Amino acid sequence: TAATLLREALQYVSPFTVTLNQFGYFGFKQSAMLYLEPLFTPPNGLTRLLEVITLIFPHCTDQLRNGKYTAHMSLSRFKNVTQLQAAKSLIENTYETITFQVKEIYLLSRIKGDPF
């Protein structure tokens, strides 16, 4: 099973720390997405995890753009960048940094056609 393959491969991947303290956004044609940009300690923590997962499941590349993954924690989608910037200004004034350790992963299984 996928869980068995991952359990065996990931036992050699060290835990890493994630700090969420910087905002970023993606601009799209019809909307914009506000997100938190993570900082990893060590810096290659997530990269190493993704490398191992991709070796096991090379077909799982739907989140890659030009062969690269932009790590982010999505916060909200807006109609446009102007609305996003206004919300970002409000949130930044009260936001407190979040730090946590990644020492395990959870698997999500989807039935064809169901995005949730």
Side-chain angles (χ1 to χ4, degrees):
T1 66
T4 302
L5 293 170
L6 287 169
R7 187 177 298 112
E8 290 174 11
L10 295 176
Q11 67 182 326
Y12 303 107
V13 175
S14 298
F16 56 94
T17 301
V18 178
T19 300
L20 299 169
N21 64 356
Q22 186 171 335
F23 291 87
Y25 71 91
F26 298 119
F28 306 110
K29 289 181 181 179
Q30 301 292 322
S31 64
M33 173 69 70
L34 180 64
Y35 65 83
L36 286 167
E37 185 176 329
L39 173 67
F40 302 103
T41 307
N44 69 340
L46 181 67
T47 302
R48 177 74 181 118
L49 175 64
L50 292 176
E51 284 173 349
V52 172
I53 292 171
T54 304
L55 285 173
I56 298 168
F57 303 108
H59 58 284
C60 294
T61 58
D62 62 318
Q63 295 296 311
L64 299 179
R65 300 292 181 260
N66 298 318
K68 185 178 177 190
Y69 174 69
T70 301
H72 66 283
M73 174 77 63
S74 297
L75 297 176
S76 186
R77 185 176 293 268
F78 296 87
K79 290 183 180 180
N80 55 52
V81 173
T82 302
Q83 287 183 353
L84 179 146
Q85 293 289 6
K88 179 177 171 259
S89 294
L90 293 173
I91 295 168
E92 282 179 322
N93 292 329
T94 58
Y95 179 75
E96 295 182 20
T97 298
I98 299 169
T99 300
F100 57 93
Q101 186 176 52
V102 176
K103 56 186 177 181
E104 58 193 12
I105 64 169
Y106 290 84
L107 300 180
L108 173 67
S109 177
R110 293 182 175 152
I111 297 170
K112 284 190 174 191
D114 183 4
F116 306 99

